[in-house]
């Protein structure tokens, strides 16, 4: 068994199944004496030989097309200078793309990651990334995903709170003011809708617990509880629009109204508190202008 | 008893076409005919006086009865079956104008828009009835409306739309004159085609269930080869036939494993000259063509390995060849076909 992984010349490449003059992993590849249309180098020898050109694949290391440049990465620049990557998404049944992030492009950086928290549970989204110059957006690369999550969240661009414990949602009320006019000459009343007002409102109550208290299995971290209470109350009273979402599919831009309340839990000597607040919907989270104006993207 | 008909304001119309004059009547007995009188304002000459028998509250003024770019006034009265007539309506002034000649100047029917943010420009020509407002409407290739410019009150007719690459569209310009005449160019088909960066990388999406979020990641790799004495041909080929012409790929090549493949599309290969070289610190693989075969010579550890493709292939200079070298450990498979 000690010979496994070694060949008879004691080279540790592929054991018995290779010639003894394997050059090992290449450090460079050179082209000369020809006129070349494309070179495609990949970590794949299992695919059957076919003469059709193939796009960039997960196993691809180099794909050079020589379109007036010597680039061989997975971004075909066409002689342009990419300055940023644009991240967009849409609900699968919508034509309306929402740009939720823009990241400066750095040629020295290979991996780009964005976390999108503006998502609705129970929806299918199509995401795309677009390489862009200062004036031109490139071709988009798309992929879809079904989104589902647990819990209730309230957030803005800078803060993100998950409400975990003892969640009690109040009624979600759809507010659409109307007047019912009963006339003398008709059996039925006339209903008048006074405006285009149409928004949701609701309330929520939950138990606030810091991660520190949860992780200490019952020992209340008084300092962390106090910090959490102050932080979330400051967040709730900053007068800025927020995103509210939960696992059932509620997803709206809200403002906090009335008086957010911290209710001491007297059975625990008032060391932990319940949080309660009311909210109203103030904008559409699928409207780019609304997201920009509310500062949520 | 016939009531006096009411004529609404008349939007200027083209006198070279039939025009249907509409009026309204409130109450009164059954109308069976109407009489329209039109007078030229400049000299008060009556140019049209005609009665037609109809129940409807319309009166067709035949084409060429009036003249474009002239102001007229019109009045109407109605008659019943007993030849009784109502009073004439009030006079209503109106103009006849030839419709404005409008066009989109920088896109032709079936043309190409070669910019992502394409600024459409238009012209409006009707000196007697200047432009008041305009808008551009962008449609997809099936005529489904995609975007509308704001209604612009300016004599400079232009608007930019963001277009997707290699996509067919229709564009329409609509104008409204000072006197309210609306004119359209109709739908003009065109294609957006422009140079834009492309990305081959795959998006990686992850539903982060306990954080209510989606992670989007992408590996964006920008690599550039180094080379000398090469020239590009068209937008698709690199010519390496000059003396000492070479292109060298270094960045990222060391991420290859022991099993890898290199696929080339090329032409103009000489016989017995290396056109592809794979280099490592332990040796190299040189690929050339001779005697109707592609040969891979593997030099390492003071030994030489020789591999050839199995099928005989006669390659002429102008033939475009697809060649794939599969390096599997120390073994090499060579596949080649002429594709055109």
């Amino acid at each position: 068994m000690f010979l496994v992984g070694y060949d008879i010349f004691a080279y540790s490449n592929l054991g018995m199944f290779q010639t003894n003059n394997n050059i090992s992993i290449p450090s460079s590849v050179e082209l000369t004496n020809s006129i070349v249309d494309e070179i495609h180098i990949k970590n794949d020898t299992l695919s059957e030989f076919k003469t059709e050109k193939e796009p960039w694949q997960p196993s691809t290391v180099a794909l050079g097309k020589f379109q007036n440049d010597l680039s061989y990465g997975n971004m075909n620049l066409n002689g342009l200078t990419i300055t940023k990557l644009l991240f967009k998404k849409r609900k699968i049944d919508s034509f309306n793309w929402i740009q939720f992030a823009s990241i400066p492009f750095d040629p020295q950086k290979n991996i780009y990651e964005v976390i999108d928290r503006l998502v609705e549970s129970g929806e299918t989204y199509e995401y795309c990334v677009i390489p862009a110059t200062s004036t031109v957006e490139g071709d988009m690369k798309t992929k879809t995903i079904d989104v589902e999550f647990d819990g209730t969240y309230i957030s803005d661009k800078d803060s993100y709170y998950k409400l975990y414990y003892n969640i009690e949602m109040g009624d979600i009320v759809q507010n659409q003011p109307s007047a019912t006019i009963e006339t003398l000459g008709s059996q039925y009343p006339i209903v008048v809708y006074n405006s285009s007002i149409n928004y949701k409102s609701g309330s929520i109550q939950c138990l606030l617990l810091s991660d520190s208290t949860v992780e200490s299995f019952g020992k209340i971290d008084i300092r962390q509880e106090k910090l959490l209470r102050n932080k979330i109350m400051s967040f709730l009273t900053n007068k800025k629009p927020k995103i509210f979402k939960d696992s059932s599919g509620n997803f709206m831009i809200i403002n906090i109204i009335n008086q957010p309340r911290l209710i001491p839990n007297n059975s625990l000597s008032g060391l932990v508190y319940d949080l309660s607040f009311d909210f109203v919907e103030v904008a559409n989270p699928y409207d780019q202008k609304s997201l920009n104006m509310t500062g949520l993207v | 008893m016939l009531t006096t008909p009411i004529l609404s304001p008349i939007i200027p119309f083209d006198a070279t076409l039939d025009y249907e004059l509409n009026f309204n009547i409130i109450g009164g007995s059954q109308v069976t005919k109407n009489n329209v009188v039109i007078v030229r304002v400049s000299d008060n000459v009556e140019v049209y006086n005609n009665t037609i028998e109809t129940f409807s509250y319309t009166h067709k003024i035949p084409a060429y009865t009036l003249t474009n770019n002239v102001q007229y006034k019109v009045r109407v009265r109605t008659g019943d079956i007993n030849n009784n007539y109502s009073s004439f309506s009030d006079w209503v002034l109106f103009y006849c104008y030839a419709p404005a000649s409008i066009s989109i100047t920088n896109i032709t029917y079936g043309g190409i828009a070669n910019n992502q943010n394409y600024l459409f420009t238009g012209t409006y020509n009707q000196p007697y009835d200047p432009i008041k407002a305009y808008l551009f409407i962008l449609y997809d290739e099936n005529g489904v409306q995609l975007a509308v410019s704001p209604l612009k009150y300016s004599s400079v007719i232009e608007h930019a739309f963001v277009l997707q690459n290699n996509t067919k569209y229709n564009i329409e310009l609509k104008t409204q004159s000072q006197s309210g005449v609306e004119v359209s160019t109709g739908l003009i088909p065109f294609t957006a085609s422009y140079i834009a960066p492309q990305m081959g990388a795959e998006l990686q999406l992850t539903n982060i269930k306990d954080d209510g979020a989606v992670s989007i990641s992408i590996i964006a790799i920008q690599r550039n080869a180094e080379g000398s004495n090469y020239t590009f041909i068209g937008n698709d080929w690199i010519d390496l036939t000059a003396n000492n012409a070479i292109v060298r790929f270094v960045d990222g090549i060391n991420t290859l494993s022991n099993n890898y493949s290199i696929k080339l599309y090329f032409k103009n290969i000489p016989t017995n000259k290396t056109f592809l070289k794979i280099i490592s610190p332990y040796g190299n693989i040189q690929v050339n063509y001779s005697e109707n075969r592609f040969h891979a010579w593997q030099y390492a550890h003071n030994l030489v390995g020789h591999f050839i493709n199995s099928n005989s292939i006669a390659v002429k200079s102008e033939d475009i060849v697809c060649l794939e070298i599969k390096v599997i450990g120390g073994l090499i498979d060579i596949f080649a076909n002429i594709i055109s």
Side-chain angles (χ1 to χ4, degrees):
Chain A
M1 292 297 289
F2 64 91
L3 286 174
V4 171
Y6 290 85
D7 62 19
I8 57 175
F9 299 97
Y11 290 110
S12 59
N13 291 316
L14 287 173
M16 302 293 285
F17 303 102
Q18 64 169 20
T19 61
N20 63 330
N21 66 334
N22 177 12
I23 68 164
S24 191
I25 294 168
S27 55
S28 65
V29 172
E30 293 176 357
L31 295 175
T32 55
N33 295 317
S34 55
I35 297 175
V36 182
D37 180 19
E38 181 175 305
I39 182 170
H40 194 161
I41 306 173
K42 54 184 179 175
N43 272 314
D44 173 24
T45 54
L46 299 177
S47 305
E48 204 172 309
F49 169 67
K50 52 187 177 185
T51 55
E52 290 80 21
K53 290 180 181 173
E54 296 164 296
W56 184 279
Q57 294 168 15
S59 61
T60 301
V61 170
L63 179 58
K65 292 175 178 285
F66 308 114
Q67 293 173 334
N68 286 322
D69 62 32
L70 296 180
S71 67
Y72 62 97
N74 61 7
M75 302 181 73
N76 185 356
L77 308 184
N78 283 319
L80 303 169
T81 302
I82 293 177
T83 57
K84 58 194 170 188
L85 295 178
L86 305 177
F87 290 75
K88 298 185 181 185
K89 69 170 178 191
R90 66 176 178 180
K91 282 165 89 170
I92 195 69
D93 54 359
S94 166
F95 290 110
N96 184 26
W97 286 99
I98 295 169
Q99 181 180 314
F100 60 93
S102 169
I103 298 180
F105 180 72
D106 178 359
Q108 306 304 318
K109 187 177 164 186
N110 287 346
I111 299 174
Y112 295 84
E113 184 175 19
V114 171
I115 302 292
D116 178 22
R117 293 192 164 107
L118 294 171
V119 290
E120 178 178 348
S121 185
E123 278 294 339
T124 301
Y125 288 97
E126 184 171 27
Y127 281 88
C128 76
V129 176
I130 303 172
T133 70
S134 54
T135 56
V136 177
E137 291 186 12
D139 291 345
M140 58 173 63
K141 199 80 188 170
T142 64
K143 200 168 189 179
T144 59
I145 187 171
D146 296 327
V147 175
E148 278 184 13
F149 55 79
D150 301 326
T152 301
Y153 302 81
I154 183 163
S155 63
D156 63 13
K157 194 176 180 182
D158 306 313
S159 306
Y160 193 65
Y161 294 96
K162 181 174 182 179
L163 309 176
Y164 291 87
Y165 307 107
N166 302 354
I167 303 280
E168 285 183 39
M169 280 285 289
D171 295 347
I172 300 284
V173 179
Q174 191 73 36
N175 299 282
Q176 188 186 38
S178 62
T180 304
I181 301 164
E182 295 176 345
T183 61
L184 289 173
S186 171
Q187 178 184 354
Y188 299 104
I190 299 165
V191 178
V192 178
Y193 299 97
N194 297 311
S195 64
S196 54
I197 286 281
N198 193 352
Y199 65 94
K200 294 184 175 73
S201 61
S203 63
I204 189 167
Q205 182 166 333
C206 64
L207 173 64
L208 281 183
L209 274 185
S210 68
D211 290 343
S212 167
T213 297
V214 173
E215 287 162 9
S216 62
F217 301 104
K219 184 173 182 298
I220 296 170
D221 186 333
I222 296 172
R223 176 177 163 74
Q224 289 303 318
E225 292 304 323
K226 186 178 73 173
L227 285 175
L228 175 63
R229 282 199 302 276
N230 291 343
K231 207 171 153 190
I232 200 165
M233 192 51 81
S234 170
F235 169 72
L236 291 175
T237 55
N238 66 9
K239 303 181 177 65
K240 293 179 182 172
K242 298 163 178 58
I243 287 285
F244 175 82
K245 64 184 180 186
D246 67 14
S247 55
S248 75
N250 282 314
F251 181 53
M252 53 188 116
I253 300 176
I254 61 164
N255 264 78
I256 307 300
I257 57 166
N258 302 329
Q259 301 84 29
R261 286 175 293 281
L262 286 168
I263 306 155
N265 190 322
N266 292 319
S267 62
L268 292 168
S269 307
L271 297 178
V272 295
Y273 284 68
D274 279 355
L275 172 70
S276 167
F277 61 88
D278 303 328
F279 59 85
V280 291
E281 184 182 26
V282 293
N284 178 2
Y286 289 107
D287 177 59
Q288 182 80 61
K289 277 185 187 169
S290 297
L291 290 171
N292 293 341
M293 286 174 64
T294 52
L296 292 167
V297 294
Chain B
M1 175 79 180
L2 290 159
T3 56
T4 304
I6 302 164
L7 267 175
S8 302
I10 297 170
I11 293 173
F13 58 89
D14 184 1
T16 64
L17 302 173
D18 289 346
Y19 179 75
E20 198 159 78
L21 184 73
N22 293 295
F23 54 91
N24 198 15
I25 286 168
I26 301 169
S29 52
Q30 176 67 54
V31 171
T32 61
K33 64 187 96 171
N34 64 63
N35 171 231
V36 167
V37 176
I38 299 176
V39 171
R40 188 162 56 224
V41 171
S42 59
D43 53 11
N44 232 21
V45 171
E46 184 178 287
V47 294
Y48 182 78
N49 187 340
N50 191 31
T51 301
I52 59 172
E53 299 209 347
T54 175
F55 292 138
S56 72
Y57 303 156
T58 62
H59 186 108
K60 188 168 88 176
I61 300 168
Y64 297 104
T65 304
L66 307 176
T67 307
N68 278 333
N69 306 325
V70 174
Q71 189 181 28
Y72 298 95
K73 59 183 180 180
V74 60
R75 63 180 182 173
V76 61
R77 61 177 177 165
T78 56
D80 63 15
I81 197 163
N82 299 318
N83 242 11
N84 299 314
Y85 277 91
S86 70
S87 303
F88 271 108
S89 67
D90 290 336
W91 288 103
V92 170
L93 290 164
F94 68 96
Y95 277 97
C96 283
Y97 288 129
S101 166
I102 68 169
S103 64
I104 298 175
T105 52
N106 61 344
I107 199 82
T108 55
Y109 195 90
I112 302 285
N114 56 5
N115 199 317
Q116 187 171 45
N117 290 286
Y118 198 76
L119 184 69
F120 292 93
T121 57
T123 59
Y124 176 97
N125 186 20
Q126 173 40 283
Y128 296 97
D129 191 15
I131 189 169
K132 183 173 85 176
Y134 68 89
L135 53 78
F136 283 93
I137 307 173
L138 183 71
Y139 303 88
D140 72 6
E141 63 177 320
N142 300 314
V144 176
Q145 186 175 306
L146 299 174
V148 185
S149 73
L151 192 64
K152 296 186 179 180
Y153 296 88
S154 164
S155 57
V156 179
I157 302 174
E158 61 181 27
H159 185 74
F161 285 108
V162 177
L163 307 173
Q164 285 193 12
N165 206 5
N166 301 319
T167 306
K168 290 180 178 176
Y169 294 96
N170 288 284
I171 185 78
E172 180 183 19
L173 168 63
K174 280 185 173 177
T175 61
Q176 189 181 50
S177 72
Q178 300 282 1
S179 59
V181 179
E182 292 182 357
V183 183
S184 162
T185 58
L187 271 60
I188 300 170
F190 70 97
T191 302
S193 177
Y194 49 84
I195 296 172
Q198 297 169 332
M199 180 177 278
E202 287 295 324
L203 272 178
Q204 299 297 324
L205 302 179
T206 310
N207 181 28
I208 310 174
K209 201 169 180 180
D210 60 358
D211 196 32
V214 173
S215 160
I216 307 101
S217 63
I218 192 161
I219 299 175
I221 301 167
Q222 190 181 11
R223 292 174 173 145
N224 281 301
E226 52 197 61
S228 58
N229 297 331
Y230 60 84
T231 52
F232 292 111
I233 302 173
N235 190 36
D236 278 324
W237 296 85
I238 186 167
D239 186 348
L240 300 166
T241 57
N243 273 343
N244 301 319
I246 190 169
V247 168
R248 187 177 294 111
F249 304 86
V250 178
D251 190 16
I253 298 301
N254 62 0
T255 63
L256 287 171
S257 65
N258 264 310
N259 298 346
Y260 58 91
S261 68
I262 298 178
K263 197 175 188 182
L264 273 182
Y265 296 83
F266 60 91
K267 60 184 179 181
N268 283 71
I269 43 164
T271 53
N272 277 323
K273 275 192 171 180
T274 300
F275 58 86
L276 169 64
K277 194 171 180 182
I278 306 164
I279 301 164
S280 88
Y282 303 104
N284 62 71
I285 298 169
Q286 296 180 28
V287 182
N288 64 22
Y289 174 76
S290 68
E291 298 171 346
N292 293 347
R293 306 273 179 178
F294 286 93
H295 303 255
W297 299 88
Q298 185 167 244
Y299 303 94
H301 310 296
N302 296 318
L303 293 168
V304 179
H306 181 208
F307 305 85
I308 58 172
N309 63 311
S310 57
N311 56 318
S312 173
I313 177 169
V315 179
K316 295 193 283 291
S317 166
E318 65 275 17
D319 288 339
I320 299 173
V321 177
C322 175
L323 170 83
E324 186 165 19
I325 307 284
K326 291 185 177 179
V327 180
I328 305 166
L331 300 173
I332 299 175
D333 274 343
I334 306 173
F335 305 89
N337 259 332
I338 296 170
I339 56 174
S340 68

